[in-house]
Amino acid sequence: MTYSEYIQSTAWRTSPVRLREFEAAGFACRLCPAAASDGATLESHHRTYDRLGNEIDGDLTSLCSDCHRAVTSFLRARRYALLQPLRADVKTIRIDAPLFDPTREVA
């Protein structure tokens, strides 16, 4: 089962670990004051994917949808920042070539 299929499954929606995290968080976001009682949409953020489908207490964190999006973006940015940039093959770059051809008409 893929991550996407799992997140859309009944097993995920009724996961005792997920429901216990919401209860432990007071049905509120762990990062901001947003609460389900005020209409906030709560989501479970996976702190680890090591046990996807067999989560244990501590694997999930209750977040509102805005905080979940922000945390996910931050974690992805941090992960990508650690990657080594691809290096161009210097032999294939022509430094004498113009950036554009001024005689060519642009449509």
Side-chain angles (χ1 to χ4, degrees), residues 42-63:
L42 294 182
E43 301 174 354
S44 293
H45 171 71
H46 277 88
R47 298 175 69 193
T48 179
Y49 295 101
D50 292 345
R51 292 172 286 277
L52 186 67
N54 297 299
E55 294 87 0
I56 62 172
D57 292 328
D59 284 354
L60 306 174
T61 300
S62 175
L63 298 175

